[in-house]
Amino acid sequence: MPAWARTRSLSPDRTGGGVRGAMAGLGRREFLTMAAAGTAAAAISVTIAALDPATALGATAMTGNASPRPSSDLNLKRELRAMWIASVANIDWPSASGLDAEAQKAEFVRHLEVARENGLNAVFVQVRPTADAFWDSPYEPWSQYLTGTQGQDPGYDPLAFMVAEAHARNIELHAWFNPYRVSMQPDPALLVADHPARQHPDWVWAYGGRLYFDPGIPEAREHIQRAILHAVESYDIDGVHFDDYFYPYPVPGETVPDTATYERYGAGFDAIEDWRRDNVDRFVETMSSRIKAVKPWVKFGISPFGIWRNSSTDPLGSDTAGSQSYDDQYADTRKWVLEGWLDYVNPQIYWQIGLAVADYAALVPWWAEVAAQSGTQLYVGEALYKMTSGVFTDPEELTNHVDLCREVSRDVGPVHGNVYYSAVHVPADPQGGMSRVVADHYRHPALIPPMPHLPADPVAAPVLANARRVDDGVRLHVTDIGSRIARATSFAVYRVRGAVDAVDIDDPANLVGTFRSASGRVHSWLDTTAAPGVRYTYVVTALDRVWNESGPSRPRVAR
C-alpha cells in the first residue's frame, strides 16, 4: 500500500474545524476535451497520457522527458521547484521599505542565489501586492513597499531587473498579482490622490480593516485586468500567478458590503453566493484568455486555499473538515481546473500528514485526481514557514511531503512539483527541514516540466564544439544551429564519467545544470563541479522558452 493511502487509512476521524502545427485553431479546453475522450490521437497522433509536445506541435527535433506524468524516482529530471517571494508588508523582499535601489537589488540577487543553491528552478515574486506596482504602471502607483511612500519612483525598474537576473540564472520568474486587494488599511484617504480607488470610490469597499475592489463591478474587473496585462505585455515574465485571495476571508461579525452591487448586476442569480462565484469565474476565465491572446507562452496559474470543499458538504470534495474556498472566498477552484482555464494549479496544502481536519495525505491525491482530468499541471504549495513557527514538529515533515507527492504521481495522477512559502525561510532552514528536502530529493538539477498545449519552438540539437579542462573546471563551447525564429532559450548539460560513445539524457543523475542563451549563436559555460583529474563525457541539448528539449549533441570528452 502506498504511503499516501496508508496514512489516510490510519488518520483519526475528521472532526470540526496560439499554438503551431496540428493544434492550430484548437483552444486548450477543446484540445483537452479531445484528449480525455480518447480522440486526440486521431488529431495529433498522441494522447494526453503520453504527450510529446514536440510531436504535438510539429517540432520534430524535440525529444526529452516530456510526459506529464513524472517518475517516482527520488531525483527527477522534470520537476518544478520554486519558492514564493512576498513583498506585501515587506515579508521577504525588499526586507524593509525605503531601502535604496542598490540594497534592493542586492537582496533580490541573494534570493536568487539561495534558490539556485537549494536546487530551485523558479520563483513566484509578488509584484502587485495591493493595487500598486513594482513596475512603472500607467494604471496604478508605485508600491509603498519599495520606497515607503506610495507613488514614489524607486529609481530603477524592479520588474525588469528581477526578470533579467532570474533569467541570467535560467530561473523562471512568475509575476504574482493580488487581484482585488487595494490596501492593508481601510481608509481611502491614505492612498495617493490619483489612485484608481480614489478616482472611482464606487468600485471599492472596506472589509476586515482593509480595502478591496468590488469583484461584482465590471469596470473594476476590467481595470485590474488591464493593470496585469500591462506587465505581461511589457516584460518577459514566464507566468502570471494569483494566490488564494479572491473575495476576502470571512471576518466574524462582518458582512461583505456588496448588496447594492448584487441588486444592480445580479439578475439571473437567486443567491448572492452564486453570483459572487460567477464574478470570480468570469474574472479567471477572461484573464486566462487575455494572457494567451497577448503572449501564448506565458503560463497562468493560481495558488488557492488547499480545500475546495469537504466531502461532508459535497460528495465531490476532499476527506477534510476545514474551511472551504468555494464557500468562503467564492472561488470554485475545482471548476477552473476542469474547465482548462489554468496552466497550473498550486493549492496551498499547508498542513501536516495525518492532521485530522486537513490531512496533507488526503488532499494531495484529491488534487492530483482533479488535475489529471484536464491535464492541468499540479504544483503543491508547502508551508516551510511552519517549520519556523513550530507547527511542524517533525524535521522530516517536508521531505516526507515530497516522498508522498512522488508516490501519488505514480499511483493517482501527476504532481509536477512543489513551491515553498516563503523565501526568507529557505536559507534559515528551520529544524533543517529544507536541507533535508534538498539532500533527499534535489541532489541533481531539474528541468521545468513542459506544457504540451503551449506553443513550442522547433529548436535543434546544438553543436558541442569542445569541452576542455581549465583551472577551475571544464569549459564547454556550444553553437546553436537553430533557425533565426527558433533559437534556443537555454541549454541543458549532461555528463558521465569516462570516455563513452553516448550519454543517457533521460537519467536525472546525468543532468549537471542549465544555462541561458545569450545573444548570438556561440555560447560558453563552465562546469565548476568537475573533479580534477577525472575524465568526463558531455552532451548538450537545446531548450525552448517553455522547456521543450531537443535531442543531444554529439558527445565530447573533456581532456
Side-chain angles (χ1 to χ4, degrees), residues 214-233:
D214 188 333
I217 296 177
E219 293 83 0
R221 295 197 301 265
E222 175 64 18
H223 163 78
I224 298 165
Q225 294 199 353
R226 285 184 178 181
I228 293 169
L229 288 167
H230 180 260
V232 176
E233 293 166 348

Side-chain angles (χ1 to χ4, degrees), residues 367-383:
W367 278 104
E369 188 173 30
V370 170
Q373 294 179 58
S374 67
T376 303
Q377 289 197 352
L378 171 62
Y379 312 144
V380 176
E382 303 287 349

Side-chain angles (χ1 to χ4, degrees), residues 171-228:
I171 292 174
E172 272 202 345
L173 188 138
H174 293 227
W176 166 15
F177 304 85
N178 188 287
Y180 301 124
R181 187 169 61 206
V182 171
S183 177
M184 297 292 283
Q185 55 79 34
D187 185 2
L190 297 181
L191 304 173
V192 292
D194 60 351
H195 195 288
R198 292 188 66 178
Q199 298 295 311
H200 304 277
D202 54 314
W203 291 0
V204 179
W205 33 253
Y207 179 83
R210 298 177 182 178
L211 287 175
Y212 297 90
F213 284 122
D214 188 333
I217 296 177
E219 293 83 0
R221 295 197 301 265
E222 175 64 18
H223 163 78
I224 298 165
Q225 294 199 353
R226 285 184 178 181
I228 293 169

Side-chain angles (χ1 to χ4, degrees), residues 37-335:
T39 59
I44 56 177
S45 303
V46 291
T47 66
I48 196 68
L51 186 58
D52 181 342
T55 305
L57 298 168
T60 56
M62 285 185 289
T63 61
N65 193 15
S67 169
R69 178 179 293 277
S71 75
S72 60
D73 296 338
L74 286 180
N75 292 280
L76 303 181
K77 174 181 167 177
R78 291 283 191 176
E79 183 176 53
L80 181 118
R81 305 167 180 173
M83 67 184 185
W84 279 286
I85 302 177
S87 62
V88 67
N90 299 108
I91 290 173
D92 291 316
W93 179 80
S95 62
S97 59
L99 297 178
D100 64 34
E102 293 309 308
Q104 290 181 17
K105 291 177 180 179
E107 282 192 351
F108 189 78
V109 166
R110 180 55 191 151
H111 282 305
L112 294 177
E113 289 301 312
V114 164
R116 187 159 65 172
E117 290 163 6
N118 284 272
L120 308 184
N121 51 25
V123 290
F124 297 174
V125 187
Q126 196 170 32
V127 300
R128 185 184 180 270
T130 53
D132 52 10
F134 274 55
W135 74 98
D136 190 6
S137 169
Y139 298 100
E140 293 173 329
W142 284 106
S143 177
Q144 72 185 74
Y145 300 116
L146 289 167
T147 63
T149 302
Q150 190 174 71
Q152 182 175 323
D153 190 326
Y156 74 113
D157 187 332
L159 185 50
F161 175 80
M162 291 187 287
V163 169
E165 291 294 325
H167 286 175
R169 294 160 178 81
N170 211 25
I171 292 174
E172 272 202 345
L173 188 138
H174 293 227
W176 166 15
F177 304 85
N178 188 287
Y180 301 124
R181 187 169 61 206
V182 171
S183 177
M184 297 292 283
Q185 55 79 34
D187 185 2
L190 297 181
L191 304 173
V192 292
D194 60 351
H195 195 288
R198 292 188 66 178
Q199 298 295 311
H200 304 277
D202 54 314
W203 291 0
V204 179
W205 33 253
Y207 179 83
R210 298 177 182 178
L211 287 175
Y212 297 90
F213 284 122
D214 188 333
I217 296 177
E219 293 83 0
R221 295 197 301 265
E222 175 64 18
H223 163 78
I224 298 165
Q225 294 199 353
R226 285 184 178 181
I228 293 169
L229 288 167
H230 180 260
V232 176
E233 293 166 348
S234 304
Y235 297 89
D236 189 22
I237 61 176
D238 299 293
V240 169
H241 182 81
F242 293 168
D243 54 25
D244 53 319
Y245 292 99
F246 295 95
Y247 278 84
Y249 280 81
V251 175
E254 292 196 40
T255 302
V256 174
D258 61 350
T259 302
T261 313
Y262 174 54
E263 291 173 352
R264 182 177 180 185
Y265 295 106
F269 292 92
D270 295 331
I272 194 171
E273 294 83 4
D274 292 334
W275 168 76
R276 288 172 179 162
R277 271 185 289 274
D278 184 69
N279 291 331
V280 182
D281 286 350
R282 289 188 191 188
F283 183 85
V284 171
E285 181 182 17
T286 306
M287 192 78 253
S288 177
S289 63
R290 292 178 79 171
I291 291 167
K292 291 299 186 284
V294 173
K295 290 182 178 177
W297 59 87
V298 171
K299 302 168 186 177
F300 179 41
I302 292 179
S303 180
F305 182 74
I307 299 173
W308 171 69
R309 298 192 99 184
N310 302 309
S311 58
S312 58
T313 303
D314 188 320
L316 295 174
S318 54
D319 187 13
T320 50
S323 300
Q324 305 171 113
S325 61
Y326 180 93
D327 302 277
D328 291 342
Q329 288 83 51
Y330 306 100
D332 194 350
T333 54
R334 179 177 179 274
K335 177 180 180 179

